[in-house]
């Protein structure tokens, strides 16, 4: 589905490009940024004309409310280049809808579609040389909104800044990942902001994740805040469990993010006659399956990695290793999804979005 609205985007091009100084074969995820960024300010009750300007620092008042009350939301998405140099995005309207859902929960004004999509497309087109061809190469895109009004009164900001920055990316691989089932900490609580992509959700994860790192785990699988009996998300990813030949994942709610990759994987699994159950996943069920040999796989899903297989997990001081499969659902589904993203396979679901 294309957006036909024509919004005049003011473009100020960078005088020089830093692209020639970038080693595209050795990219560290999320540390190198392209030449331009999109900026759109909210003032006097309305969003102003979007601008694309050279990438660089911004100036904020020390009293800007984002620093004091955490009014900030973000998204993560990617653009890909196929063998014919066409540029594609993957389900960007889902990210647009979700940033507005997140914004609404954080009392931030929603962004009009006629601003979001044209500004996004213009920026991606301007940075097309940063998108390298080849399976695994992409342009990671980070839209975000922050509260900019100066004032330390505990109330929503009257002013905001919506921005989009871009970072070239290669295949995301972190080696073997082992996770710890959380017994104490939770990502979010009922009635909270877990379903919003709010910046504070992620900042709050760093401390318990650091504790898990010290015990030899790379990430945490969060449990529900009320009982710590049910598994919900892994780090910053949605989580899937394979027991025998059934994939199981927790339902989205106000604690769990409605992941674009998550729902795409569910659809693709069903399309390939893989049984999928969306339901609560009890810790004791996974422990029992690990002990009796029916737990075949655990994997996380998200924009950065698409699918990240998990090699093992720990709970209550005991460690469990998962079998190494040659026919894993994780590898099959990741390959199938990425072929759609890179225009290497039929897109039955109309998920690809051509940037023209």
């Amino acid at each position: 589905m294309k957006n036909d609205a024509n919004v005049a985007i003011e473009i100020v091009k960078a005088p020089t490009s830093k692209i020639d100084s970038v080693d595209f074969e050795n990219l560290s995820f999320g540390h190198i940024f392209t030449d331009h960024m999109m900026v759109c300010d909210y003032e006097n009750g309305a969003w102003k004309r979007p601008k694309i300007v050279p990438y660089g620092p911004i100036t904020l008042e020390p009293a800007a409310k984002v620093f004091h009350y955490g009014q900030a939301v973000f998204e993560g998405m990617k653009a890909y280049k196929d063998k014919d140099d066409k540029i594609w995005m993957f389900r960007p309207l889902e990210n647009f809808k979700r940033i507005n859902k997140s914004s609404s929960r954080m009392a931030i004004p929603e962004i009009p579609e006629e601003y979001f999509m044209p500004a996004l497309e213009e920026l991606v087109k301007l940075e097309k040389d940063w998108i390298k061809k080849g399976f695994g190469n992409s342009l990671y895109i980070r839209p975000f909104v922050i509260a900019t009004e100066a004032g330390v009164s505990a109330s929503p900001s009257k002013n905001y800044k919506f921005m989009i920055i871009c970072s070239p990316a290669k295949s995301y691989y972190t080696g073997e990942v082992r996770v710890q089932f959380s017994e104490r900490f939770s990502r979010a609580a009922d009635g909270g902001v877990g379903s919003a992509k709010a910046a504070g959700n992620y900042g709050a994860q760093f401390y318990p994740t650091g504790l898990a790192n010290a015990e030899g785990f790379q990430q945490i699988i969060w449990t529900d805040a009320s009982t710590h009996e049910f598994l919900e998300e892994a780090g910053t990813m949605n989580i899937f469990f394979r027991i025998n030949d059934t994939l199981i994942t927790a339902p989205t709610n106000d604690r769990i993010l409605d992941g674009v990759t998550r729902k795409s994987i569910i659809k693709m699994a069903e399309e390939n006659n893989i049984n999928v159950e969306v339901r609560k996943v009890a810790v004791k069920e996974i422990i029992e399956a690990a002990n009796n040999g029916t737990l075949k796989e655990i994997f996380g899903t998200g924009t950065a990695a698409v699918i990240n297989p998990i090699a093992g997990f720990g709970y209550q001081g005991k460690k469990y290793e998962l079998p190494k499969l040659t026919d894993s659902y994780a590898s099959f589904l990741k390959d199938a999804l990425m072929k759609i993203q890179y225009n290497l396979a039929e897109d039955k679901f109309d998920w690809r979005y051509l940037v023209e």
Side-chain angles (χ1 to χ4, degrees), residues 199-261:
N201 288 349
Y202 299 83
Q205 295 187 47
F206 297 154
Y207 173 70
T209 302
L211 297 179
N213 293 162
E215 295 184 39
F217 300 99
Q218 285 70 49
Q219 271 295 356
I220 290 175
I221 296 187
W222 306 100
T223 48
D224 69 288
S226 299
T227 67
H228 295 289
E229 293 178 1
F230 296 96
L231 297 157
E232 298 197 328
E233 284 196 2
T236 59
M237 308 182 81
N238 295 114
I239 192 74
F240 286 77
F241 303 88
R242 176 184 173 185
I243 297 179
N244 288 320
D245 291 331
T246 297
L247 273 184
I248 308 166
T249 192
T252 55
N253 51 38
D254 57 11
R255 300 185 308 276
I256 297 177
L257 190 71
D258 184 14
V260 177
T261 308

Side-chain angles (χ1 to χ4, degrees), residues 94-215:
E94 293 297 318
N95 297 95
F96 162 71
K97 293 173 188 174
R98 192 170 64 184
I99 199 170
N100 275 340
K101 180 181 176 182
S102 299
S103 294
S104 179
R105 181 62 182 84
M106 297 299 292
I108 296 171
E110 294 188 8
I111 304 159
E113 183 178 338
E114 62 269 23
Y115 281 27
F116 184 96
M117 293 306 299
L120 172 63
E121 291 193 63
E122 285 299 322
L123 181 61
V124 170
K125 286 190 288 187
L126 190 61
E127 307 293 51
K128 64 181 185 301
D129 291 342
W130 289 82
I131 313 172
K132 299 304 181 183
K133 288 189 284 191
F135 206 54
N137 295 325
S138 64
L139 185 70
Y140 183 78
I141 304 166
R142 170 56 61 88
F144 63 101
V145 186
I146 58 173
T148 56
E149 181 193 0
V152 294
S153 59
S155 59
S157 177
K158 293 183 176 67
N159 300 330
Y160 298 88
K161 191 177 289 289
F162 164 42
M163 301 182 66
I164 306 176
I165 57 177
C166 303
S167 178
K170 288 187 69 66
S171 292
Y172 191 90
Y173 178 71
T174 57
E176 286 198 340
V177 173
R178 287 172 176 78
V179 298
Q180 184 180 63
F181 289 2
S182 177
E183 300 174 52
R184 175 185 171 196
F185 295 101
S186 295
R187 179 181 179 274
D190 290 338
V193 296
S195 61
K197 211 163 172 63
N201 288 349
Y202 299 83
Q205 295 187 47
F206 297 154
Y207 173 70
T209 302
L211 297 179
N213 293 162
E215 295 184 39

